[in-house]
């Protein structure tokens, strides 16, 4: 059954594509076999490289104001859902704050309440990139949602996250866990529960706490489903021409004309992830 929000997203997709407000990216899809047989998706960008993937420099804030042609719904007085202007997947949505909030600051209880309100009817893979070193394309706060239908696989590395959440994988078996924490979720998502999990993972990764730190002590990615929440501490945005955001850890990678695809085929996708995480001063499990 299609939720009202997803139905609206589909309608806005048709209208905004016709008006030119939405610019879907054309990609080719191949697969990389990672460790333990995990199949990563590798999409190669065939369209012109969008602005947010080009060299850094001053950019206008596209969310203040946001393009109303991309608006899907208002969430209370604090947030709005819009379509991602440059989607690879249909109905890729952004949950943005209506007023300015920094991407590099702590996520607030209002952010979590808004996410939970949406997820009650429209679920999928939520993700967040905390800043430039984590793959964030804009400094204005935005969480992202890739909708999933009932029974559809959440992401390529879902089994990895479930094993980590269950405690059946350790850092000795998988070095990536030195920079990542995964918590199981067994109840309905609420703002309070999500915020508590988020702050616990941040403390465990040495990112601090809002009570003592004005903003997190480092860059990180978040991935959230109804079954688990994962946080990965980052050291840099990319390597060898690959830009890595939270979706990289979900098993979805994007290459452009500057990406060294021979290297990733030779070294494997996990080598890319290992190269962009931060292990400094972290407690090893």
């Amino acid at each position: 059954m299609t939720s009202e929000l997803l139905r609206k997203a589909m309608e806005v997709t048709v209208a905004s594509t016709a008006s030119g407000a939405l610019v879907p990216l054309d990609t080719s899809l191949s697969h990389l076999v990672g460790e333990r047989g995990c199949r990563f998706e590798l999409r190669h960008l065939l369209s012109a490289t969008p602005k947010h993937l080009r060299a850094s420099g001053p950019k206008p804030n596209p969310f203040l104001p946001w393009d109303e042609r991309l608006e899907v719904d208002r969430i209370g007085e604090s947030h709005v859902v819009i379509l991602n202007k440059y989607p690879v997947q249909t109905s890729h949505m952004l949950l943005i704050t209506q007023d300015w909030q920094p991407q590099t600051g702590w996520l607030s209880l209002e952010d979590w309440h808004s996410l939970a309100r949406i997820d009650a009817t429209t679920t999928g893979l939520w993700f967040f990139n905390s800043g430039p070193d984590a793959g964030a394309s804009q400094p204005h706060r935005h969480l992202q949602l890739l909708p999933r239908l009932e029974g559809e696989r959440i992401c390529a590395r879902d089994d990895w996250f479930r094993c980590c959440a269950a405690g059946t994988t350790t850092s000795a078996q998988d070095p990536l866990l030195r920079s990542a924490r995964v918590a199981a979720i067994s109840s309905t998502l609420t703002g309070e529960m999500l915020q508590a999990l988020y702050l616990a993972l941040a403390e465990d990764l040495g990112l601090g706490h809002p009570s003592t730190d004005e903003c997190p002590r480092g860059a990180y990615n978040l991935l959230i489903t109804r079954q688990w929440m994962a946080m990965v501490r980052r050291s840099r945005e990319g390597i060898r021409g690959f830009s890595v955001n939270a979706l990289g850890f979900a098993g979805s990678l994007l290459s452009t004309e500057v990406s060294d695809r021979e290297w990733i085929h030779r070294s494997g996708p996990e080598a890319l992830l290992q190269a962009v995480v931060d292990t400094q001063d972290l407690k090893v499990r």
Side-chain angles (χ1 to χ4, degrees):
M1 181 176 178
T2 303
S3 72
E4 179 66 12
L5 183 71
L6 196 50
R7 184 190 65 77
K8 285 184 182 179
M10 293 172 179
E11 290 179 354
V12 175
T13 295
V14 173
S16 59
T17 300
S19 70
L22 194 73
V23 186
L25 298 181
D26 187 18
T27 62
S28 62
L29 175 64
S30 59
H31 291 88
L32 298 170
V33 179
E35 296 173 5
R36 291 178 289 280
C38 179
R39 281 167 58 85
F40 281 68
E41 294 180 347
L42 176 61
R43 295 184 181 275
H44 182 67
L45 185 63
L46 302 175
S47 308
T49 305
K51 294 178 182 178
H52 70 275
L53 291 178
R54 296 178 193 166
S56 60
K59 303 180 183 72
N61 184 349
F63 303 148
L64 199 64
W66 59 89
D67 188 339
E68 292 188 355
R69 297 173 297 174
L70 299 175
E71 183 178 319
V72 178
D73 204 5
R74 304 283 177 102
I75 309 298
E77 298 296 320
S78 60
H79 290 73
V80 62
V81 176
I82 66 173
L83 293 178
N84 179 7
K85 183 177 181 66
Y86 300 105
V88 171
Q89 176 187 309
T90 302
S91 300
H92 180 172
M93 289 179 268
L94 308 181
L95 174 63
I96 69 172
T97 54
Q98 293 192 33
D99 298 322
W100 164 258
Q101 294 294 334
Q103 189 77 353
T104 53
W106 292 103
L107 291 174
S108 70
L109 186 57
E110 280 189 330
D111 294 324
W112 293 116
H113 277 311
S114 298
L115 185 155
R117 181 173 167 182
I118 294 168
D119 199 84
T121 60
T122 307
T123 194
L125 178 65
W126 289 93
F127 64 98
F128 177 77
N129 311 310
S130 75
D133 286 341
S137 58
Q138 304 296 339
H140 185 123
R141 185 166 305 165
H142 59 287
L143 292 105
Q144 305 188 52
L145 172 64
L146 293 176
R148 297 288 186 261
L149 300 176
E150 186 175 350
E152 187 178 1
R153 188 169 175 80
I154 283 288
C155 66
R157 300 184 76 235
D158 184 40
D159 290 342
W160 184 86
F161 289 109
R162 288 175 182 266
C163 287
C164 294
T168 57
T169 300
T170 67
S171 59
Q173 299 166 315
D174 191 329
L176 191 59
L177 264 179
R178 296 171 185 167
S179 309
R181 299 290 186 269
V182 187
I185 295 176
S186 57
S187 60
T188 301
L189 304 190
T190 67
E192 288 80 5
M193 178 266 283
L194 289 168
Q195 186 185 49
L197 271 184
Y198 163 67
L199 295 178
L201 293 177
E203 276 201 288
D204 205 26
L205 277 177
L207 292 169
H209 189 275
S211 62
T212 54
D213 300 277
E214 185 176 348
C215 60
R217 297 175 189 170
Y220 65 92
N221 294 123
L222 272 177
L223 296 124
I224 306 144
T225 73
R226 288 181 176 176
Q227 287 74 43
W228 45 262
M229 178 188 289
M231 182 179 285
V232 183
R233 185 161 174 170
R234 296 289 300 275
S235 62
R236 56 181 165 179
E237 182 265 349
I239 187 176
R240 291 184 176 265
F242 286 93
S243 175
V244 181
N245 66 12
L247 291 182
F249 297 92
S252 297
L253 303 169
L254 182 69
S255 64
T256 67
E257 69 277 2
V258 302
S259 303
D260 188 348
R261 288 188 288 168
E262 288 187 8
W263 173 81
I264 199 168
H265 279 282
R266 183 174 65 251
S267 303
E270 281 91 359
L272 175 61
L273 302 185
Q274 286 289 347
V276 299
V277 296
D278 183 7
T279 59
Q280 186 175 2
D281 298 325
L282 298 184
K283 295 176 287 184
V284 176
R285 288 186 169 183

